[in-house]
Amino acid sequence: MIETEISRVILEEYNRRLLEHLENDVVIVGAGPAGLAAGYYLAKAGIKTTILEKKLSIGGGIWGGAAGLNVIVVQDKDILDEFEMTAKRQKGLYVIDAIEFAAALAYKAKKVGAEIFNLMEAEDIILKTEAVEGVVVNGTAINIAGLHVDPFCISSKYVIDATGHPAEVVNMLKKRRPELFPKGIQESFMDVETAEAGVVEKAGEIFPGLYVAGMSVCAVFNLPRMGPIFGGMLKSGKKVAELINEKIQSADA
Amino acid sequence: MIETEISRVILEEYNRRLLEHLENDVVIVGAGPAGLAAGYYLAKAGIKTTILEKKLSIGGGIWGGAAGLNVIVVQDKDILDEFEMTAKRQKGLYVIDAIEFAAALAYKAKKVGAEIFNLMEAEDIILKTEAVEGVVVNGTAINIAGLHVDPFCISSKYVIDATGHPAEVVNMLKKRRPELFPKGIQESFMDVETAEAGVVEKAGEIFPGLYVAGMSVCAVFNLPRMGPIFGGMLKSGKKVAELINEKIQSADA
Amino acid sequence: MIETEISRVILEEYNRRLLEHLENDVVIVGAGPAGLAAGYYLAKAGIKTTILEKKLSIGGGIWGGAAGLNVIVVQDKDILDEFEMTAKRQKGLYVIDAIEFAAALAYKAKKVGAEIFNLMEAEDIILKTEAVEGVVVNGTAINIAGLHVDPFCISSKYVIDATGHPAEVVNMLKKRRPELFPKGIQESFMDVETAEAGVVEKAGEIFPGLYVAGMSVCAVFNLPRMGPIFGGMLKSGKKVAELINEKIQSADA
Amino acid sequence: MIETEISRVILEEYNRRLLEHLENDVVIVGAGPAGLAAGYYLAKAGIKTTILEKKLSIGGGIWGGAAGLNVIVVQDKDILDEFEMTAKRQKGLYVIDAIEFAAALAYKAKKVGAEIFNLMEAEDIILKTEAVEGVVVNGTAINIAGLHVDPFCISSKYVIDATGHPAEVVNMLKKRRPELFPKGIQESFMDVETAEAGVVEKAGEIFPGLYVAGMSVCAVFNLPRMGPIFGGMLKSGKKVAELINEKIQSADA
Amino acid sequence: MIETEISRVILEEYNRRLLEHLENDVVIVGAGPAGLAAGYYLAKAGIKTTILEKKLSIGGGIWGGAAGLNVIVVQDKDILDEFEMTAKRQKGLYVIDAIEFAAALAYKAKKVGAEIFNLMEAEDIILKTEAVEGVVVNGTAINIAGLHVDPFCISSKYVIDATGHPAEVVNMLKKRRPELFPKGIQESFMDVETAEAGVVEKAGEIFPGLYVAGMSVCAVFNLPRMGPIFGGMLKSGKKVAELINEKIQSADA
Amino acid sequence: MIETEISRVILEEYNRRLLEHLENDVVIVGAGPAGLAAGYYLAKAGIKTTILEKKLSIGGGIWGGAAGLNVIVVQDKDILDEFEMTAKRQKGLYVIDAIEFAAALAYKAKKVGAEIFNLMEAEDIILKTEAVEGVVVNGTAINIAGLHVDPFCISSKYVIDATGHPAEVVNMLKKRRPELFPKGIQESFMDVETAEAGVVEKAGEIFPGLYVAGMSVCAVFNLPRMGPIFGGMLKSGKKVAELINEKIQSADA
Amino acid sequence: MIETEISRVILEEYNRRLLEHLENDVVIVGAGPAGLAAGYYLAKAGIKTTILEKKLSIGGGIWGGAAGLNVIVVQDKDILDEFEMTAKRQKGLYVIDAIEFAAALAYKAKKVGAEIFNLMEAEDIILKTEAVEGVVVNGTAINIAGLHVDPFCISSKYVIDATGHPAEVVNMLKKRRPELFPKGIQESFMDVETAEAGVVEKAGEIFPGLYVAGMSVCAVFNLPRMGPIFGGMLKSGKKVAELINEKIQSADA
Amino acid sequence: MIETEISRVILEEYNRRLLEHLENDVVIVGAGPAGLAAGYYLAKAGIKTTILEKKLSIGGGIWGGAAGLNVIVVQDKDILDEFEMTAKRQKGLYVIDAIEFAAALAYKAKKVGAEIFNLMEAEDIILKTEAVEGVVVNGTAINIAGLHVDPFCISSKYVIDATGHPAEVVNMLKKRRPELFPKGIQESFMDVETAEAGVVEKAGEIFPGLYVAGMSVCAVFNLPRMGPIFGGMLKSGKKVAELINEKIQSADA
């Protein structure tokens, strides 16, 4: 029956992909701008990368632009060119349609081979000795439904927290190691210029095996918040991808 | 201050786009597979087209594949090639990643010039004489918040109901003209093959100015439902785009 | 890593079982007393049987006995002996612990080879020509979470509605064929003796491919309701199993 | 079409006003009695003033009087005369209809040129160096709907916290600078006379660029609460308006 | 103690007003644009008038303008002048700040002596013989809290349904006399010009003692809906006030 | 009209009673067993006493007995005789119907002249110098409805916290004077005998003007909790009534 | 251990009472004014009577008087004297404290031997041949919690629907016998005098074994509603008690 | 009437069982894997054992396997043989159907005589001197319904906290004795091997009369969490059963 055949090919394909990605080079938590950018550059470099997104759709805070007006801003054009996005120059800034921005990031990341699982929620990290070795995940729907159900595990050499403002993965570490974060995990007051620079500069490894990219950088380093300007997000993701790539190359060498 | 400059360029750009699209050739309600496909083909043909999406993200039921496993199925490959999607042949079907499918549709529709407004909910139609002339819309957030606030209006020569199973626009017509739908608006039992054929065949104008595409076709004509197979959706959207295009061309001629 | 190995064997085993049961001789919807009894007798007879349960746990209304006091009643002892349950004779009735009753039914059904999937919700039937050929299912968690996600399909030669009072599968049929149920689907006033007899007598096929067992029998035939007495439930499930078994045997013969 | 023309003039007018008020002399958060009074006196003095109100209607706690009985009390009459309100003398107090009180404040504030945006919620402050330079805002409906959407920014030379008991703007400062508020932000026990005097006396600048008026004065200085007596509220707003006016005059001089 | 003195004067004043208005010439249900206009003109003519508003604040759908943008539109200027509102001419329409519009209506209605009780919800009508003689009311908070509590009664010679789209008072009549409304109570599709004319023309008495004004006119007569244009609302309220005034004058004569 | 006459006499009677009790000798917060007993003995002694109950019905935790079985236990009979309750001796304890127990307490308290206002919620205390002088109250329905509305004030020479486990009035004091309660406000582990003795022994004044009776005694003194045994509750209320009575008598003397 | 002894005597007493009342002469559903009055007169006449109340407390709509003001009205004094309630004559009506009214009814009903079970919800009737023979009940808490749990049964010769406005028991009959109620079950518009007379006159048996008393009389016979006047309620309950008493006496004779 | 007879035998049987188990040797809180295993081994050894389960069904986190896929894993086979479960060897692990696992545990525990009460929630411990002597319980439905109702008490010589991750019983102790748990009660990061060993090794008495088994061991000793592997759970329950058995034997000796 064609109805069960469709079910069958979907189940087989999904399971094949999920089983293949139970072990990874890199797991990125969060498919917002920083996570998708990191995933794009890592996958493009041939690194086995899985992006976990807890929502049904990817894109994080991109879709709503500012206050639900679906337009966002970036400051330089080169990274837009990489993703073939069409922007418009206005008062020294580039404005771009939020939907195109989100769609292009996901489309390009998939094209270079990043694997994305949506509706999948990281709820903890695997940490046996002093290094993060993967994440503990469960279905988002299971969690929304409030069901009492055990999770499963996805391992990776490196985990990137690209969950944005809440810095969810870093908070899993903080939950049992609060002493590592004496100043707390919280962004500072709005200041776009400081934030755009800092989110790239400070992106990197903050604990063995754990990297931060995008707004979680601001949260961890108490940098300012920045609003609907997304260039720093992409560069932050790109920088983390480069740092991990170098490490893997030198480890392989 | 750069913070207000960013706000300013976003507000100006969004307003420019919204004011420009208060009057359209075509308004498509719903940015799921049929709506995005229709929008792509219409915009590509140079027709002024606005897609209204009530959710924060586009894509409708695509993202979750079957039961949350993000894989979907199509039966023929040519329409996938049009949108540059990568599919895999399995047991006579093509399987494709749901995220790539959704992202590619939105990305391509934007690239050819379709305008998309998300978080915007059609709540009624404009119908003065015997033809639909546009839609009455409000912010989705306003509605979720349960605020008592008046809507605004977007006019168009043609309105496409691409809202899927609930056939929301057609139901606005039915609310005050129930006699037009003596058999009700409801799909029939699951039967993939009949549905895939019917959703294309029956797509078209069902009341002056009002077209149906995608699952709303099945609802209006009591055709079977079909599950996570999306080829018919795209073709249904494409067919409606062609019908409207012809009409506009002949009207212009 | 042992953590991912555990995930891997669970995913592989579950997928193997699910793929194996996409096509069945019998699908039973509802793992309450009638569904588990039917599943037990069918599987014991070597018939390929899948039970779908939408809740996290099996047992339906058994666990709470009367008003949450976990004791239930049966009138004859032989069916209890079949499931090795320990009952106590009191005033001409047998009283038995509700937890033992639920656990024994599930334990025995599994031991003889019935397949049970919990957290899986039948939302429609497959009906192409004039016979039910399977069910359309989705994850319960997906539905509770209110996510807009397509279902998948499980086919079977026969479907048993063992969903109890709401007669959920029969109502899927009624939704589009209300004329088949001119008196509606609803039990009558409480009357234990009439109900206990009728729920067995009327159990059977009510539409090509669709059987009813347990309280859905009362709902379909407007028989009385009966409260926390479960002997009729088991016999009703047993009778339907026998009817289907005969049909399969004669078809094979 | 007149329907779209109405939409067009509303969008254009609102956008013009909003763009004009992205930069201000003063932003007042909260359109309750203190905020409206401050806005009235500032606008009357020719200062560019924007009042942000998160609810759909202005008036804050005025409408409900005491326990929902729409009558309120003031102690002296002169400020009522300024707003042309009709009060009645009883037992040494003036009683006045709460609806007239709220309506008159808003009506008069608008008449002298204060700009009010409702459904707009300040969620943070802009603070780059040691002075508040504006607020970060989002749509109230966006927040109620729980959407993940970025805010935008409105700048001003001075920000007035007129949010009442919760002292919302001051708490934004406290969130990252708790050391500035060693005794916490909380009113003390009910004591009308002390409160009425203190809410005027202590009204003023509490951090560079940040003023408090009305009940947020009581919260910040741990003064008593006071119930449905509103004279102090108006005077507190008036005093802050005068302080800021002096500062602006001397800066301009 | 001053605290209890304040409570005392509020309780005494409110009770005096409420007891005084248990019997009225006119009760208006709903303090939106039509209700406030009707109340203004009635009170100005010296007629004893009570307006009941179920929300905490008056104004109904005015505050949010279109989609939350607080600007509204009227077509002619004379009625604005009556209420001393400041409007701006744009493309043949007058645009006016929604907050000023709501505040001015309430302020002026109070000034001429209309009594307004907010947080008070009409839940039924008093109808002993064939005429409406008053309304059955309860506290809005009581209803929101879901408490099982009896109502009280307010009598009047005439009741005006100014509840807008839901036509709440008319629906109380319809609940037990559905035969009076064979076409149902529902507005028709958006059509501004037809609606603006009809809402004035059809405003009046629809059952002995029961008048409709504002959007409830459209609902009762199945006239089109109209969106954020409010001139017809005010005129509709004014017309009903004039009709009742004439009746009272002729009865008194 | 009789309908408005009924409303009128209710409004007048309620207002008379409420205005009369804005100033009291004693305000008791909570009409559970301890509050009703205290109210009974105080009123019987001729002291002006008001009991505030936030729920719709009085009785607090009495109605549900143990786990919803409406039977409760007391250890001695004399206090039952005072309230003319019928108990049954079993295993050295007296069992009594919970409904009779609650009804008798309220009935007797009213008969001796205690005033009770239900649906009225104390939300704060009046504390100007170092003594509690009354309570700040609001309508329960207002609070449940989440309306932003000011409270009113009821003064008294003495306030009794009879709110049970949560010790709500004491917690109002603790909110701003945490240093007065270094061990927190919380009962200890279940131990009936210690609790029954302690709840009487420790009942009394804990801050100038503030008394505790019933379970709030256990909370304040960290005594054990006790379950559905109510003799101590009544005696605790009685003792506090006697202490206050003595104080008033000696003050009057 | 005294803690378990208390539990033991409560469990034993409750079970003894519940088992004793599984079979009754009369079951009254609803412990509001009519149900308690009926229960009082029946029990006083020596008839075995059980009152089922679904809420935690008895009293129904009494406690809140009118709009939460706890005062109610009766027209004649004799029935108040029967229950030893203290009323005050005002404008030809008697006003009485709502709390005293509710408490006295319950107290007196218990004293003469009526059995009351609260937190117990009738969900259906037992109807085997053409007469109601009892009710199907479940725990209210079970139902609120939404648990899937079977009910138990309480039999009686006569069932009284004293559930007030919703006429819950009659609606159980109507659910499966709608033809018995061609005009529906719904009160008419407010009209106190007609209602006060009719609620007594029409009280009685409406189907073999099923009686109505109180507001359910108005609902069943489409009589007017009446608001916070309770004399008719008590007389209606009394009349039904007398009718049943006569029947039992003549049956016994 | 058979309907009441069924109710009667259920009530009598449940009450007999509940009264019999008000005093126990051992009370186990939680009928998940560790609790059921402990209950099985204790009852098998002839020790009077009651298991309290707050949910409607037993099994805890077993039913959902990993992420809702109903398969679980164990590492050794012997304990499975004890419960007659059918497992399959895969990659050095045993996979087993979750439903069979849960059902077998409950079935076997009941067969050897463990008493299980579901829908019963321990909310506190009885602790008079320095030893836990029982638990304070209430109906789960009562708690879900948010009713204000007193609990009852069940005593035992030993209490086992088998509530899993939340370690609910231990937290009752911690609530008033936080100093006993200086490191808090919280599992550590996922690490299967360490956890599987530790959960058995550390299982035992942690305070006089209070034992921990299963995941509450990990929470109390800050051991790692482990996911859907259940061998350690069963062994942990078994070990605690043996420790208590020894103690009882030596006490009896």
Side-chain angles (χ1 to χ4, degrees), chain H residues 27-229:
Chain H
V27 161
I28 299 167
V29 182
L36 287 170
Y40 169 81
Y41 287 106
L42 283 164
K44 205 177 161 193
I47 291 167
K48 189 178 175 186
T49 304
T50 292
I51 306 177
L52 302 176
E53 170 55 47
K54 70 177 173 184
K55 297 218 170 136
L56 185 52
S57 56
I58 52 79
I62 298 170
W63 304 101
L69 313 183
N70 61 357
V71 175
I72 59 138
V73 164
V74 292
Q75 279 177 304
D76 5 45
K77 202 163 160 302
D78 38 322
I79 208 159
L80 297 177
D81 291 343
E82 176 80 25
F83 291 101
E84 295 183 71
M85 296 165 181
T86 320
K88 205 159 122 182
R89 190 158 180 87
Q90 251 169 320
K91 301 184 195 182
L93 299 161
Y94 291 92
V95 294
I96 165 167
D97 179 90
I99 292 169
E100 180 174 339
F101 191 86
L105 281 171
Y107 181 63
K108 296 295 182 188
K110 284 297 308 178
K111 279 295 184 206
V112 295
E115 184 62 88
I116 308 178
F117 295 110
N118 54 349
L119 285 180
M120 212 176 270
E121 197 159 347
E123 64 175 50
D124 210 344
I125 46 180
I126 306 173
L127 178 59
K128 303 184 184 183
T129 55
E130 279 303 292
V132 174
E133 293 177 71
V135 288
V136 180
V137 300
N138 215 329
T140 299
I142 295 281
N143 290 346
I144 294 178
L147 295 165
H148 177 188
V149 167
D150 267 310
F152 65 98
C153 289
I154 294 181
S155 73
S156 65
K157 293 180 192 143
Y158 307 99
V159 171
I160 302 175
D161 183 336
T163 62
H165 304 261
E168 292 174 8
V169 185
V170 182
N171 271 294
M172 293 167 201
L173 182 61
K174 175 169 175 266
K175 191 182 162 196
R176 296 171 186 122
R177 298 277 177 86
E179 70 282 3
L180 293 174
F181 303 91
K183 292 187 186 169
I185 296 177
Q186 182 185 236
E187 308 148 322
S188 188
F189 301 106
M190 174 76 76
D191 177 351
V192 167
E193 273 156 355
T194 310
E196 277 284 287
V199 77
V200 182
E201 192 193 323
K202 296 284 193 183
E205 192 173 32
I206 62 152
F207 184 86
L210 179 56
Y211 287 73
V212 285
M215 285 314 295
S216 61
V217 175
C218 296
V220 169
F221 291 98
N222 308 128
L223 296 174
R225 51 189 299 195
M226 68 182 78
I229 180 163

Side-chain angles (χ1 to χ4, degrees), chain A residues 53-240:
Chain A
E53 170 55 49
K54 70 177 174 184
K55 297 218 171 137
L56 186 53
S57 56
I58 52 78
I62 298 170
W63 304 102
L69 313 182
N70 61 358
V71 175
I72 59 139
V73 164
V74 291
Q75 281 177 303
D76 5 45
K77 202 163 160 298
D78 38 321
I79 208 159
L80 296 176
D81 292 343
E82 174 80 26
F83 291 101
E84 295 182 73
M85 297 165 179
T86 319
K88 207 160 120 181
R89 189 158 179 85
Q90 252 170 319
K91 302 186 193 182
L93 299 162
Y94 291 91
V95 295
I96 164 166
D97 179 88
I99 293 169
E100 180 174 341
F101 191 86
L105 282 172
Y107 181 64
K108 295 296 182 188
K110 284 296 310 178
K111 279 296 185 207
V112 296
E115 184 62 88
I116 309 177
F117 295 109
N118 54 349
L119 284 181
M120 212 176 270
E121 197 159 347
E123 64 175 51
D124 210 343
I125 46 179
I126 306 172
L127 179 58
K128 303 186 185 183
T129 55
E130 280 302 291
V132 174
E133 292 178 71
V135 289
V136 179
V137 300
N138 214 330
T140 299
I142 295 281
N143 289 347
I144 295 178
L147 296 165
H148 177 189
V149 166
D150 267 308
F152 65 99
C153 289
I154 294 181
S155 73
S156 65
K157 292 179 193 144
Y158 308 99
V159 171
I160 302 175
D161 183 336
T163 63
H165 305 261
E168 293 173 8
V169 184
V170 182
N171 271 293
M172 293 168 201
L173 181 61
K174 175 168 174 268
K175 190 180 164 198
R176 298 173 184 119
R177 298 275 177 88
E179 70 281 4
L180 293 175
F181 304 90
K183 292 186 186 170
I185 296 177
Q186 184 185 231
E187 307 148 323
S188 188
F189 301 106
M190 175 76 74
D191 177 350
V192 166
E193 273 156 356
T194 312
E196 277 283 287
V199 77
V200 182
E201 192 192 324
K202 296 285 192 182
E205 192 173 33
I206 61 154
F207 184 87
L210 179 56
Y211 287 72
V212 286
M215 286 312 296
S216 61
V217 175
C218 296
V220 169
F221 291 98
N222 309 128
L223 296 174
R225 51 190 299 196
M226 67 182 77
I229 180 163
F230 285 88
M233 293 295 102
L234 302 191
K235 290 184 196 161
S236 182
K238 185 181 181 184
K239 185 185 166 194
V240 163

Side-chain angles (χ1 to χ4, degrees), chain B residues 1-5 7-8 11-12 15 18-20 22-23 56 119 126 128 133 141-142 144-145 147-149 152-155, chain D residues 1-5 7-8 11-12 15 18-20 22-23 56 119 126 128 133 141-142 144-145 147-149 152-155:
Chain B
M1 191 191 282
I2 186 168
E3 285 77 13
T4 48
E5 278 314 284
S7 302
R8 187 176 303 280
L11 283 163
E12 285 175 349
N15 292 328
L18 183 52
L19 288 167
E20 189 182 318
L22 283 180
E23 279 155 343
L56 187 51
L119 286 179
I126 305 173
K128 303 185 184 183
E133 294 179 69
I142 295 280
I144 295 179
L147 295 166
H148 178 188
V149 166
F152 65 98
C153 290
I154 295 182
S155 73
Chain D
M1 190 190 284
I2 186 170
E3 286 76 14
T4 48
E5 278 314 283
S7 302
R8 187 176 304 280
L11 283 163
E12 284 175 350
N15 292 328
L18 182 52
L19 288 168
E20 189 183 318
L22 284 181
E23 278 155 344
L56 186 52
L119 286 180
I126 305 173
K128 302 187 185 180
E133 293 178 70
I142 295 280
I144 294 178
L147 296 166
H148 178 189
V149 166
F152 65 97
C153 289
I154 294 182
S155 73

Side-chain angles (χ1 to χ4, degrees), chain E residues 221-232:
Chain E
F221 292 97
N222 308 130
L223 297 174
R225 51 189 299 196
M226 66 182 77
I229 179 162
F230 285 88

Side-chain angles (χ1 to χ4, degrees), chain G residues 1-5 7-8 11-12 15 18-20 22-23 56 119 126 128 133 141-142 144-145 147-149 152-155, chain H residues 1-5 7-8 11-12 15 18-20 22-23 56 119 126 128 133 141-142 144-145 147-149 152-155:
Chain G
M1 189 191 284
I2 186 167
E3 285 77 13
T4 48
E5 279 314 284
S7 302
R8 187 176 303 280
L11 282 164
E12 284 176 349
N15 292 328
L18 183 52
L19 287 168
E20 190 182 318
L22 283 180
E23 279 155 344
L56 186 52
L119 286 181
I126 306 173
K128 301 185 186 183
E133 294 178 68
I142 294 280
I144 295 178
L147 295 166
H148 177 189
V149 165
F152 64 100
C153 289
I154 295 182
S155 73
Chain H
M1 191 191 282
I2 186 169
E3 285 77 14
T4 48
E5 278 314 284
S7 301
R8 188 176 302 281
L11 283 163
E12 284 176 350
N15 292 328
L18 183 52
L19 288 168
E20 190 183 316
L22 283 180
E23 278 155 344
L56 185 52
L119 285 180
I126 306 173
K128 303 184 184 183
E133 293 177 71
I142 295 281
I144 294 178
L147 295 165
H148 177 188
V149 167
F152 65 98
C153 289
I154 294 181
S155 73

